[in-house]
Amino acid sequence: MENNDPSSLRKVYFDAWQKEQEKLPLSPLEAMIVDVIQRHPEYHPIFDDPKNFHSLQDEKFQLDHNPFFHLALHVTVLEQISANRPGGIRKLYQQLLKKIGDRTETEHKIMACLANVLKYSFERDEAANEQLYLKAIRRLL
Protein backbone atom coordinates (compact mmCIF):
# COMPACT_ATOMS: atom_id res chain seq x y z
CA MET A 1 0.00 0.00 0.00
CA GLU A 2 2.83 2.37 -0.83
CA ASN A 3 0.92 3.99 -3.66
CA ASN A 4 -0.62 7.28 -2.54
CA ASP A 5 -3.29 7.31 -5.24
CA PRO A 6 -6.64 7.26 -3.38
CA SER A 7 -8.27 5.10 -6.06
CA SER A 8 -5.54 2.45 -5.83
CA LEU A 9 -5.60 2.47 -2.06
CA ARG A 10 -9.38 2.15 -1.97
CA LYS A 11 -9.20 -0.76 -4.39
CA VAL A 12 -7.07 -2.67 -1.87
CA TYR A 13 -9.95 -2.46 0.63
CA PHE A 14 -12.59 -3.45 -1.91
CA ASP A 15 -10.50 -6.34 -3.22
CA ALA A 16 -9.80 -7.68 0.26
CA TRP A 17 -13.48 -7.56 1.19
CA GLN A 18 -14.53 -9.25 -2.06
CA LYS A 19 -11.96 -12.00 -1.57
CA GLU A 20 -13.35 -12.59 1.93
CA GLN A 21 -16.91 -12.77 0.59
CA GLU A 22 -15.78 -15.31 -2.00
CA LYS A 23 -13.86 -17.28 0.68
CA LEU A 24 -10.58 -16.85 -1.20
CA PRO A 25 -7.22 -16.88 0.60
CA LEU A 26 -6.15 -13.53 2.02
CA SER A 27 -2.69 -12.07 2.43
CA PRO A 28 -1.82 -10.98 5.98
CA LEU A 29 -2.55 -7.36 5.04
CA GLU A 30 -5.89 -8.31 3.46
CA ALA A 31 -6.81 -10.32 6.56
CA MET A 32 -6.07 -7.25 8.69
CA ILE A 33 -8.23 -5.07 6.43
CA VAL A 34 -11.10 -7.57 6.47
CA ASP A 35 -10.91 -7.82 10.26
CA VAL A 36 -11.22 -4.05 10.59
CA ILE A 37 -14.08 -3.84 8.08
CA GLN A 38 -15.89 -6.67 9.88
CA ARG A 39 -15.69 -4.67 13.09
CA HIS A 40 -17.29 -1.67 11.34
CA PRO A 41 -20.72 -2.82 10.12
CA GLU A 42 -21.53 0.78 9.20
CA TYR A 43 -19.05 0.37 6.32
CA HIS A 44 -20.42 -2.95 5.05
CA PRO A 45 -22.86 -1.33 2.60
CA ILE A 46 -19.91 0.46 0.97
CA PHE A 47 -17.95 -2.74 0.41
CA ASP A 48 -20.79 -5.22 -0.16
CA ASP A 49 -21.45 -3.90 -3.66
CA PRO A 50 -18.32 -3.92 -5.86
CA LYS A 51 -19.98 -1.31 -8.09
CA ASN A 52 -19.49 1.15 -5.25
CA PHE A 53 -15.77 1.16 -5.96
CA HIS A 54 -16.31 2.90 -9.29
CA SER A 55 -18.71 5.44 -7.85
CA LEU A 56 -16.52 6.13 -4.81
CA GLN A 57 -13.05 5.98 -6.34
CA ASP A 58 -12.89 9.75 -6.82
CA GLU A 59 -15.22 10.71 -3.99
CA LYS A 60 -13.88 13.51 -1.83
CA PHE A 61 -14.81 12.74 1.77
CA GLN A 62 -14.45 15.14 4.66
CA LEU A 63 -11.46 13.79 6.56
CA ASP A 64 -13.44 13.09 9.73
CA HIS A 65 -16.08 11.19 7.72
CA ASN A 66 -13.76 9.30 5.39
CA PRO A 67 -14.20 5.54 5.85
CA PHE A 68 -10.99 4.82 3.95
CA PHE A 69 -8.94 7.15 6.16
CA HIS A 70 -10.52 5.59 9.24
CA LEU A 71 -9.69 2.09 8.05
CA ALA A 72 -6.16 3.16 7.11
CA LEU A 73 -5.60 4.49 10.63
CA HIS A 74 -6.74 1.14 12.03
CA VAL A 75 -4.37 -0.74 9.75
CA THR A 76 -1.52 1.61 10.64
CA VAL A 77 -2.07 1.13 14.36
CA LEU A 78 -2.34 -2.65 13.96
CA GLU A 79 0.90 -2.73 11.97
CA GLN A 80 2.60 -0.58 14.61
CA ILE A 81 1.46 -2.93 17.36
CA SER A 82 2.57 -5.98 15.37
CA ALA A 83 6.04 -4.51 14.77
CA ASN A 84 6.19 -2.78 18.18
CA ARG A 85 7.20 0.36 16.33
CA PRO A 86 7.45 2.91 17.79
CA GLY A 87 9.09 0.93 20.55
CA GLY A 88 6.75 0.31 23.45
CA ILE A 89 3.46 0.73 21.58
CA ARG A 90 2.57 -2.95 21.92
CA LYS A 91 2.81 -2.81 25.71
CA LEU A 92 0.83 0.44 25.82
CA TYR A 93 -1.83 -1.12 23.59
CA GLN A 94 -2.08 -4.16 25.86
CA GLN A 95 -2.39 -1.96 28.96
CA LEU A 96 -5.02 0.23 27.33
CA LEU A 97 -6.93 -2.81 26.06
CA LYS A 98 -6.99 -4.19 29.59
CA LYS A 99 -8.34 -0.87 30.86
CA ILE A 100 -10.96 -0.36 28.12
CA GLY A 101 -11.83 -4.00 27.50
CA ASP A 102 -12.77 -3.54 23.83
CA ARG A 103 -10.31 -3.97 20.98
CA THR A 104 -11.98 -1.61 18.53
CA GLU A 105 -12.46 1.15 21.10
CA THR A 106 -8.85 0.76 22.21
CA GLU A 107 -7.68 1.15 18.62
CA HIS A 108 -9.94 4.18 18.20
CA LYS A 109 -8.31 5.87 21.20
CA ILE A 110 -4.83 5.20 19.81
CA MET A 111 -5.93 6.33 16.35
CA ALA A 112 -7.04 9.65 17.80
CA CYS A 113 -3.56 10.09 19.29
CA LEU A 114 -1.97 9.20 15.96
CA ALA A 115 -4.21 11.58 14.02
CA ASN A 116 -3.40 14.43 16.43
CA VAL A 117 0.35 13.82 16.15
CA LEU A 118 0.10 13.64 12.36
CA LYS A 119 -1.88 16.88 12.26
CA TYR A 120 0.63 18.55 14.57
CA SER A 121 3.58 17.43 12.43
CA PHE A 122 1.84 18.40 9.20
CA GLU A 123 1.13 21.90 10.51
CA ARG A 124 4.81 22.30 11.37
CA ASP A 125 6.08 20.58 8.23
CA GLU A 126 8.15 18.13 10.25
CA ALA A 127 8.33 14.40 10.82
CA ALA A 128 5.85 12.88 13.24
CA ASN A 129 7.24 12.80 16.75
CA GLU A 130 7.06 9.25 18.06
CA GLN A 131 7.67 10.36 21.64
CA LEU A 132 4.70 12.75 21.52
CA TYR A 133 2.60 9.92 20.11
CA LEU A 134 3.59 7.49 22.87
CA LYS A 135 3.12 10.19 25.51
CA ALA A 136 -0.41 10.83 24.23
CA ILE A 137 -1.20 7.12 24.47
CA ARG A 138 0.23 6.96 28.01
CA ARG A 139 -2.12 9.76 29.05
CA LEU A 140 -5.03 7.44 28.20
CA LEU A 141 -3.89 5.02 30.88
Side-chain angles (χ1 to χ4, degrees), residues 17-77:
W17 188 251
Q18 286 311 120
K19 283 175 74 174
E20 172 67 14
Q21 302 313 300
E22 296 170 17
K23 304 296 183 215
L24 297 172
L26 301 171
S27 72
L29 175 61
E30 290 169 331
M32 191 180 297
I33 290 168
V34 165
D35 170 61
V36 173
I37 294 172
Q38 286 174 334
R39 291 187 281 134
H40 287 79
E42 68 274 21
Y43 296 155
H44 292 183
I46 293 172
F47 295 102
D48 283 342
D49 186 352
K51 294 176 195 163
N52 284 338
F53 171 72
H54 298 293
S55 64
L56 292 175
Q57 66 182 345
D58 296 320
E59 178 85 18
K60 304 286 188 212
F61 292 95
Q62 292 293 323
L63 196 54
D64 58 343
H65 292 93
N66 186 329
F68 300 99
F69 181 67
H70 183 85
L71 295 171
L73 283 175
H74 266 288
V75 171
T76 299
V77 166

Side-chain angles (χ1 to χ4, degrees), residues 80 86 89 110 114 117 129-137:
Q80 290 175 337
I89 193 168
I110 294 173
L114 177 58
V117 167
N129 185 316
E130 291 181 349
Q131 294 312 309
L132 284 177
Y133 178 41
L134 295 173
K135 186 177 179 178
I137 298 169

Side-chain angles (χ1 to χ4, degrees), residues 112-130:
C113 295
L114 177 58
N116 287 334
V117 167
L118 291 174
K119 180 178 182 262
Y120 179 85
S121 66
F122 181 77
E123 289 170 347
R124 285 154 184 77
D125 195 27
E126 59 189 33
N129 185 316
E130 291 181 349

